[in-house]
Amino acid sequence: MKAFALSFIAGAAGAFGFAPVGWWPLSLLAFAALLLLVERAASLRSALARGWWFGVGHFTVGLNWIATAFTYQAAMPAWLGWVAVVLLSLYLAVYPAAAAGLAWRWGRQHPLAFTFAFAGAWIVTEWLRATLFTGFAWNPAGVVLLNRSVAPFAAVAGTYGLSGIVILFAGLIRIAAVGPDRRPALVLAGAALAAQLVAWVAAPEPRAGESAVAVRIVQPNIGQEQKWSPEFAARNLARLGQLSQSGTGGPRLLIWPEAAVTEPLQDERRLLGYQEEVAATNAQVRSVLAPRDLLLTGGITVRSSDGIRSSSATNSVFAIDPAGRILARYDKAHLVPYGEYLPMRPILSAVGLSRLAPGDLDFDPGPGPRTLDLPGVGPVGFQLCYEMIFSGEVVDRARRPGFIFNPSNDAWFGAWGPPQHLAQARLRALEEGLPVIRATPTGVSAVIDARGRLLHSIPLGQAGVIDARLPLPAPPTLFARFGNPLPFAFALLLAAAAIAVRRKAR
């Protein structure tokens, strides 16, 4: 039981290496403790349990922001949010447990083989966490190295490959600290140096300068408690309009957050009253645009199977010109369970649980990453909110965009969720070699360059605007060309190294 408690404590401590705290050395030490605890397990069952308890502590602390989301669920008590966090963590901990079990089974005979096996297993199980049962890719281990010089390794082997580097660093710490044979530490130090060299050489720099596209990002600081209230609708739109005003008169790409317009911008119901409401909303939006503006805003489409009754909706991004014409629409594909649709609706509705976001309609998923051409801007990629956390799934591979627009509503993510979401958006920029433009109602809105660097941002909980030129993309990275097969190749290389070391040790 003592080992399980230590595993739980190590996992909880490791969560403080992620945003917003950012104590990344603590995360490396926590992973080093996990390796030591698992390696010393007397049985496979004990190794699995130690990995599982580490995951429970890690996710319970790191995902504390999910509890805040439940405070907006009127039908259920607020404490239910912490129950949800714990239950989710009990499930997510299965993946660190699987990595621990695989490493113990295949590498425990030698500390170097064990480290290689653990790193390879972690890559695969972290990808599984992001994939199975719709996936939950939040806070991959590699994000703790985001501001470190090795971070550009993600442009080669992706975020999951960078997570493997975290485990290698942890193994280096574990072997150097505990010994007694320090020679494996030299091998791991050489592997870390090689990863650093690969990161420096293989991650392309963006082209010098900026594009001619002027961007204004609007962060109105409209909280979740006001966003969907009908009595605040006119005031919220007026605030967006006020922050959107500009005296330059030049062409601008105006950027609003996810669901900035809460009334439908398109409605498939043909009844006159609904169409009049859409026309009125469109007129309000059109009234704030300058003659040469192009607006990208989050909004909603109401869908109807018979043209009379609403059947579902889409969470969308609309491109709107000064005449009010909708030039393009992107529909969110990777939807949030309980936020944008309610699984097992008849059962959960009967016990009083509804969606955490307001509204009775479930959203329909869109077709996935799309590159859309916008006049005066060029090819644009879209990822709406939660979609941005899925490594290798954010860009249309058939047609590379010039940048990714990532509108989001992080207002119900507490204090920890928004900076964690921003960090993962920066990883996507680094992986794909593409700038990312983020707009959120309460923060953190940002301009991110093609190397994942934060050029401009508005802090959490403040209203404001960002006026900037659109950064230029970098040439396609290795990861942008081949995607997630690369971290799998890295995992296989680590597994082969583990087998070779184990055979040599015999």
Side-chain angles (χ1 to χ4, degrees), residues 8 15 55-65 82 85-86 89-90:
F8 179 88
V56 172
H58 184 73
F59 292 116
T60 299
V61 174
L63 301 179
N64 69 78
W65 56 269
W82 281 106
V85 171
V86 172
S89 299
L90 295 178

Side-chain angles (χ1 to χ4, degrees), residues 278-298:
V278 168
T281 301
N282 184 283
Q284 287 179 293
V285 172
R286 187 172 67 242
S287 69
V288 307
L289 299 181
R292 302 175 69 185
D293 283 349
L294 177 66
L295 173 66
L296 289 180
T297 181

Side-chain angles (χ1 to χ4, degrees), residues 61-137:
V61 174
L63 301 179
N64 69 78
W65 56 269
I66 292 177
T68 305
F70 275 76
T71 63
Y72 300 103
Q73 169 59 271
M76 305 297 279
W79 55 262
L80 185 66
W82 281 106
V83 174
V85 171
V86 172
L87 290 176
L88 179 61
S89 299
L90 295 178
Y91 159 66
L92 295 176
V94 168
Y95 298 100
L102 288 168
W104 187 91
R105 174 64 181 80
W106 296 104
R108 70 185 186 279
Q109 295 87 350
H110 190 279
L112 187 57
F114 179 77
T115 300
F116 285 144
F118 210 126
W122 192 275
I123 291 170
V124 174
T125 56
E126 196 168 81
W127 175 84
L128 288 172
R129 173 163 71 89
T131 305
L132 297 180
F133 310 113
T134 79
F136 189 73

Side-chain angles (χ1 to χ4, degrees), residues 395-428:
V395 170
D396 181 355
R397 300 291 173 192
R399 187 155 188 269
R400 180 174 166 84
F403 72 98
I404 301 172
F405 175 41
N406 174 222
S408 185
N409 177 17
D410 296 353
W412 54 324
F413 285 6
W416 282 40
Q420 290 176 2
H421 205 183
L422 173 67
Q424 291 167 100
R426 292 177 60 193
L427 272 180
R428 299 295 85 76

Side-chain angles (χ1 to χ4, degrees), residues 62 96 142 147 180 184 202 232 267 285 312 395 465:
N147 294 314
F232 288 103
D267 196 326
V285 172
S312 59
V395 170
V465 300

Side-chain angles (χ1 to χ4, degrees), residues 357-388:
D360 297 324
L361 293 177
D362 284 338
F363 287 106
D364 290 334
R370 289 293 182 272
T371 298
L372 302 176
D373 275 305
L374 301 180
V377 178
V380 181
F382 297 86
Q383 288 292 292
L384 241 168
C385 193
Y386 177 69
E387 293 182 305
M388 198 61 176

